[in-house]
Amino acid sequence: MRYIAYESRPPLPPGPNSLPYIGSLITMLRNKPTFRWIDRMMDEMNTNILCIRIGSVHLIPVRDPMIAREFLKDKDEISSSRPDCMSSYLTSDGYLNTYLAPMGDHWKKMRKILSSDILSLIRLKWLQNKRDEEADYLVRYIYNRCQTNVEVTKGVMNVRVIVQQYANTIIRKMIFGRRYLGKGSADGGPGDEDIEHADSLATIAAYVFGFCVTDYFPWLRWITDFDGHEKIIRDSLLTARKYQDPLIDERIKQWKDGVRTKEYDLLDVFINLENPQLNAATIKAQILDLILGSFDNMSNNVEWAMAEMINEPMIFAKAVHELDSMVGKDRLVQESDLVNLNYIKSCVKEALRLHPVSAFGLPHMSTKDTTVSGYFIPKGSHILVSRMGLGRNPEVWDDPLTYNPDRHMNDGKEVVLTDHNLNMISFSTGRRGCPAVNFGTTMTVMLLARLVQGFTWEMPPSETQVDLKENLQSLWKAKPLFALVRPRLPHHLYELK
Ligand code: HEM
């Protein structure tokens, strides 16, 4: 291994003064949430790359596309591992999954399985009937609520509940072949089990790489759960897995006993992989991985897109016009239409830019000393590419805080949600880029398209503006979006075939 000689070493990126041994730990703890502290510091120091030392770890936040490209494209090979942290170790059951696994043989094996067997274009097609069913349930569910709830709520609905329900049921349908973990609820909404499961997933997602103290001082973990993160993660994992794992065990047994003989969903595919075969523990970790990878990106995105669009009726009208001219009002929009819905895709992309689900992507860890943008990046650094910082960077985007889907329209050419130049992070790029671009794009665009085509959405009568404040602790909308909903298509289209 080659190390850069000390004398010739360039400087570290700029950063706050730090104390011996603990670095900036105390300042970090005093300035929660950490991502907002980092963003403020970057503004104050007028830099797009920073170096914060916590214990012996260098955190390197980045919010400039050129620097992000240097890490994730030019130096992808040495920037593609993941740090070894309590939260990721527990969540992945000792790195049995893909999302959190460090670079190595296991990750390579799992990534290949995902690309060729689980998330390929052929698999996308194979699972289409399951997604179609969920897209039909979606409009029927809203329609039924419009019919039954008018007197009680005057047609006002919680959009967050609707989009989260869709995101959860569609992934469960593709993986387990069922909408609910328990019995569901009579009106087609989530059952108590599904709500508990979804809450635990949200907690895990919030705490994985959540700037936990023991992630930087691993020995402390054996003495104390310093900031309580470990207990929170363990409890949430127990809750999530108490619903998922028995379904997996039962299915493995069905195949073993010869009761099941045909593949219907992704769990069947995982169980029947031959080269290489996966054991039960790996299948369980990988399934949690897929669920975590998908559920909140989609729902956070469409809730924000709807909030911004309802706030700007001209944008909403343009989206409706596109659907009416490309699809019409005599049938529901289908996946095969999505290629023609460039404005709807731009609405999704603009929400990914302005309102990413998390401030940073998962940390990448460098496996060698290197130099980036003229700065020394020590081996073992945690590279934090800022989804929020890139998407809102005024040097890259005009008027970056304004929701303007037109900026992604491409002179009539097809709009895609990916951005391999990293002017924003949608699916990222390189070895660790999202392996589910086609799944993510299809399900997210379809969700928005069905909502916009199927219903009119307006502010509740008591409001004159949608409240677009974001949560202080996360980038989610601070308050769930409520909107006045009415069906806008012929009634027979909402009924299930
Ligand atoms: C709109 C939807 C989605 C968005 C915006 C999105 C975005 C991302 C991003 C930014 C990454 C991290 C890249 C990095 O570490 O540099 C990622 C990784 C990943 N995503 Fe997605 N994703 C979406 C949907 C999905 C879905 C539906 C699945 C699976 C069913 C999925 C599975 C994964 C997995 C397994 C990884 C980890 C890859 C690795 O570490 O090698 N994602 N995604």
Side-chain angles (χ1 to χ4, degrees):
M1 195 179 296
R2 280 184 51 231
Y3 291 95
I4 296 173
Y6 190 78
E7 314 81 65
S8 63
R9 217 182 73 172
L12 288 165
N17 294 331
S18 59
L19 295 168
Y21 189 64
I22 58 170
S24 299
L25 176 68
I26 295 173
T27 329
M28 181 178 93
L29 291 176
R30 280 200 188 130
N31 286 281
K32 295 222 167 186
T34 307
F35 76 89
R36 295 210 186 271
W37 169 61
I38 293 177
D39 198 49
R40 269 198 315 275
M41 224 173 350
M42 291 178 103
D43 283 345
E44 282 160 17
M45 300 178 81
N46 193 20
T47 180
N48 284 326
I49 178 167
L50 199 66
C51 175
I52 307 163
R53 188 172 60 76
I54 312 281
S56 59
V57 176
H58 295 86
L59 297 180
I60 314 283
V62 171
R63 61 178 190 188
D64 171 88
M66 245 163 56
I67 306 178
R69 285 198 294 271
E70 218 178 320
F71 276 117
L72 300 190
K73 293 179 96 167
D74 308 348
K75 305 213 160 144
D76 189 28
E77 196 180 344
I78 57 169
S79 312
S80 292
S81 200
R82 299 265 193 234
D84 177 21
C85 293
M86 173 276 296
S87 55
S88 57
Y89 181 83
L90 294 179
T91 304
S92 60
D93 206 3
Y95 303 122
L96 293 178
N97 68 354
T98 313
Y99 218 50
L100 304 169
M103 188 49 69
D105 289 344
H106 177 78
W107 174 82
K108 280 189 194 137
K109 175 178 90 178
M110 296 312 299
R111 180 85 195 193
K112 192 155 169 263
I113 290 174
L114 290 188
S115 311
S116 48
D117 296 299
I118 304 295
L119 300 172
S120 64
L121 274 173
I122 294 175
R123 200 58 76 192
L124 182 76
K125 187 85 199 125
W126 185 67
L127 292 165
Q128 188 181 334
N129 63 340
K130 294 191 182 342
R131 292 191 305 279
D132 287 349
E133 271 172 35
E134 283 312 308
D136 289 349
Y137 269 119
L138 170 79
V139 288
R140 195 180 64 144
Y141 174 66
I142 302 171
Y143 178 77
N144 286 344
R145 295 283 303 266
C146 289
Q147 308 303 310
T148 53
N149 280 2
V150 172
E151 292 311 316
V152 189
T153 60
K154 298 193 167 52
V156 175
M157 258 182 232
N158 183 335
V159 177
R160 181 172 296 176
V161 169
I162 294 168
V163 294
Q164 287 186 342
Q165 159 78 348
Y166 172 84
N168 288 322
T169 50
I170 200 164
I171 191 78
R172 279 200 293 266
K173 191 66 140 320
M174 291 193 299
I175 292 178
F176 298 112
R178 55 197 276 177
R179 312 192 69 219
Y180 302 116
L181 293 163
K183 291 201 181 86
S185 77
D187 69 351
D192 292 343
E193 301 85 354
D194 306 305
I195 292 170
E196 197 185 17
H197 184 251
D199 287 348
S200 63
L201 293 176
T203 308
I204 298 166
Y207 280 86
V208 172
F209 294 120
F211 299 103
C212 167
V213 172
T214 51
D215 288 350
Y216 310 108
F217 300 92
W219 54 267
L220 201 58
R221 201 182 145 196
W222 307 113
I223 305 171
T224 172
D225 180 9
F226 187 83
D227 38 21
H229 284 207
E230 181 163 349
K231 178 167 175 6
I232 295 172
I233 292 247
R234 279 187 186 279
D235 290 351
S236 305
L237 281 167
L238 275 178
T239 308
R241 296 189 65 156
K242 89 177 171 204
Y243 292 116
Q244 298 175 199
D245 290 359
L247 298 177
I248 299 170
D249 287 329
E250 187 191 321
R251 185 75 68 80
I252 291 174
K253 187 166 180 312
Q254 287 174 353
W255 278 99
K256 228 181 222 157
D257 295 348
V259 182
R260 198 167 174 106
T261 50
K262 189 164 178 252
E263 291 179 0
Y264 289 98
D265 52 38
L266 290 179
L267 179 51
D268 289 328
V269 179
F270 272 120
I271 293 172
N272 286 307
L273 287 172
E274 282 185 347
N275 187 21
Q277 272 186 341
L278 299 182
N279 61 25
T282 308
I283 295 175
K284 286 174 187 170
Q286 189 54 64
I287 280 183
L288 180 59
D289 208 22
L290 293 188
I291 296 177
L292 280 173
S294 57
F295 85 107
D296 56 354
N297 266 308
M298 215 186 316
S299 48
N300 173 68
N301 176 271
V302 175
E303 185 186 5
W304 269 116
M306 290 286 290
E308 295 275 12
M309 290 165 77
I310 293 171
N311 217 27
E312 285 296 337
M314 300 280 281
I315 296 180
F316 211 109
K318 215 166 159 180
V320 172
H321 176 72
E322 180 177 69
L323 277 154
D324 286 352
S325 51
M326 292 294 172
V327 182
K329 292 172 82 172
D330 302 330
R331 64 178 181 87
L332 293 172
V333 52
Q334 302 297 323
E335 286 191 359
S336 53
D337 296 309
L338 301 186
V339 65
N340 299 318
L341 300 179
N342 282 328
Y343 194 71
I344 293 284
K345 279 186 274 183
S346 299
C347 291
V348 168
K349 189 165 185 177
E350 182 64 345
L352 281 169
R353 176 191 74 80
L354 186 53
H355 302 295
V357 71
S358 57
F360 297 109
L362 290 180
H364 286 222
M365 195 188 75
S366 57
T367 47
K368 277 184 186 168
D369 286 349
T370 188
T371 305
V372 169
S373 185
Y375 293 114
F376 176 60
I377 308 296
K379 174 183 173 184
S381 295
H382 296 191
I383 299 142
L384 299 173
V385 178
S386 175
R387 292 170 97 171
M388 178 178 87
L390 283 167
R392 299 179 189 180
N393 187 336
E395 291 157 28
V396 180
W397 301 99
D398 289 338
D399 203 1
L401 299 184
T402 299
Y403 181 82
N404 173 15
D406 279 287
R407 66 172 96 230
H408 303 292
M409 292 297 275
N410 197 3
D411 288 336
K413 290 195 216 107
E414 192 186 347
V415 172
V416 290
L417 302 191
T418 46
D419 181 350
H420 293 288
N421 287 326
L422 303 178
N423 288 320
M424 58 178 272
I425 299 284
S426 49
F427 295 94
S428 195
T429 195
R431 284 175 173 71
R432 286 285 184 170
C434 181
V437 173
N438 292 314
F439 278 76
T441 300
T442 304
M443 295 188 294
T444 312
V445 177
M446 186 67 167
L447 173 56
L448 184 63
R450 280 277 168 116
L451 294 182
V452 173
Q453 186 206 21
F455 305 90
T456 60
W457 300 86
E458 287 162 16
M459 270 173 260
S462 54
E463 291 175 27
T464 50
Q465 247 205 330
V466 177
D467 181 351
L468 295 174
K469 270 196 226 71
E470 71 188 14
N471 196 324
L472 184 69
Q473 306 298 328
S474 69
L475 296 182
W476 283 73
K477 200 173 158 315
K479 290 187 195 147
L481 172 66
F482 283 87
L484 183 63
V485 194
R486 286 195 197 93
R488 64 181 288 276
L489 299 176
H491 291 261
H492 69 271
L493 291 181
Y494 299 95
E495 274 143 33
L496 282 190
K497 282 163 229 124

